[in-house]
Every structure is written in C-alpha cells, then in structure tokens.
Amino acid sequence: MISVIGEKYRTKDFTLTKMDMNSFFSCLQEQVDSVSAWSDATVKKCKSVLKKILIENGYLDNSRSEV
C-alpha cells in the first residue's frame, strides 16, 4: 500500500478511492499466490481494516472519505 499512497503523493493526487484500493488488492493477488487464494470475505475485511488504519493515521478523514 505504501507504493500506492507514495505514488499518489508524488503526483500530488491526495485522493484515495475505492478503485485505488481494488487495484492494490488485484495487484497483490497477482504477485502473491497465497493472497490469490483468499476468499472475497477475507479481501473485504482486509480492505476494511486497511481503511481504518488510514483513517487513524490521518490519511483519510472518515470511512466515507476519499480525500
């Protein structure tokens, strides 16, 4: 996720959308065989936890925020 956020900051794009999150997990599933075996429920929970971490660390304002 650091690469996704880092690239957005380098290009001065301070948004993080659902598409970015989906793209990150798609790339991760392509790169790591064990991740590609995760169920949809597991991926959904990981997205939720990751979003919560981003909120707690000030990258997102709230759970509905994309900025």
Side-chain angles (χ1 to χ4, degrees), residues 23-39:
S23 175
F24 167 72
F25 276 96
S26 292
C27 290
L28 188 61
Q29 287 174 324
E30 291 173 2
Q31 296 171 359
V32 182
D33 291 335
S34 59
V35 175
S36 64
W38 289 356
S39 69

Side-chain angles (χ1 to χ4, degrees), residues 5 13 15 18 21 24 31 42 44 56 60-61 63:
I5 293 172
D13 178 2
T15 62
K18 284 185 179 183
M21 192 76 76
F24 167 72
Q31 296 171 359
T42 300
K44 185 176 179 180
E56 289 175 354
L60 295 174
D61 292 330
S63 64

